Amino acid sequence: KTYRGYEVKEEDAAEKVYIIKKDSINLDSIESFCSKNFPTLFAAIGKAKLEITGAPSNIYFKWDSISRTAIMAIAVPIIGNANTKVKDFETLVVPSGKNLHIVYMGGYSKIGSAHYAMDEYMKEKNFLQGTPVIEEYVTGQDKEADSTKWLTNVYYRVK
């Protein structure tokens, strides 16, 4: 069965360590927040000589459609632990646990459809949403001009 055309997979996720820049921002500012901060984050990780273990991500801790704000972070997964430090950035350890996963293909302006599909799945299966919600940008505008080929993994932590 699909939800809004998406297959939802239940997965056991391993612990993951991220270096992040976290802030409370207006929903209209997400793109500018990312484009401003990802280059400095990658530079700081390189300077710290840390090994990157996956794709850059946005991590959402709170989403408020009414006030049009989010508490979110740009994030890069690394080999490390809670004691790993990078100047001017935070370290986030996402513990192992149960995730829901949707593979989303397309431009970011329509990614909301994957989130609505996740909501429908959780309601049907009686899951409670945990935090954080992660959008992992495997292929994006930096690697592929055709937005229909952009691959984003959407992960929801559930209880």
Side-chain angles (χ1 to χ4, degrees):
K1 181 176 177 182
T2 62
Y3 298 79
R4 295 183 181 233
Y6 299 99
E7 178 185 354
V8 180
K9 296 177 188 169
E10 295 182 23
E11 301 173 341
D12 291 320
E15 177 182 277
K16 213 165 196 179
V17 179
Y18 293 91
I19 302 299
I20 68 169
K21 170 100 173 156
K22 184 177 179 182
D23 208 345
S24 176
I25 63 166
N26 184 288
L27 299 185
D28 297 327
S29 301
I30 292 174
E31 187 176 341
S32 62
F33 177 74
C34 294
S35 61
K36 175 185 172 191
N37 291 294
F38 266 123
T40 56
L41 175 56
F42 276 110
I45 289 170
K47 187 175 180 182
K49 297 182 175 25
L50 295 174
E51 186 176 340
I52 295 173
T53 60
S57 302
N58 282 356
I59 298 180
Y60 297 94
F61 302 94
K62 184 177 180 188
W63 184 276
D64 188 332
S65 298
I66 296 168
S67 69
R68 300 207 33 81
T69 59
I71 298 173
M72 65 162 290
I74 58 160
V76 175
I78 54 104
I79 291 177
N81 58 44
N83 297 317
T84 304
K85 303 293 180 211
V86 174
K87 187 177 186 216
D88 300 325
F89 295 93
E90 296 176 52
T91 301
L92 172 69
V93 177
V94 178
S96 60
K98 187 172 194 154
N99 275 351
L100 300 181
H101 175 202
I102 286 178
V103 174
Y104 171 77
M105 297 294 296
Y108 306 134
S109 65
K110 295 189 176 35
I111 200 167
S113 62
H115 291 278
Y116 290 126
M118 203 71 88
D119 291 341
E120 290 173 7
Y121 185 88
M122 286 189 301
K123 186 175 182 180
E124 181 179 296
K125 303 290 184 179
N126 293 315
F127 282 127
L128 295 175
Q129 181 180 329
T131 55
V133 169
I134 301 171
E135 291 179 356
E136 178 185 60
Y137 306 112
V138 178
T139 309
Q141 56 197 1
D142 58 329
K143 296 177 186 167
E144 173 59 55
D146 181 355
S147 66
T148 64
K149 296 178 181 175
W150 295 355
L151 167 62
T152 304
N153 290 311
V154 179
Y155 299 102
Y156 275 49
R157 191 49 67 99
V158 292
K159 304 172 194 173

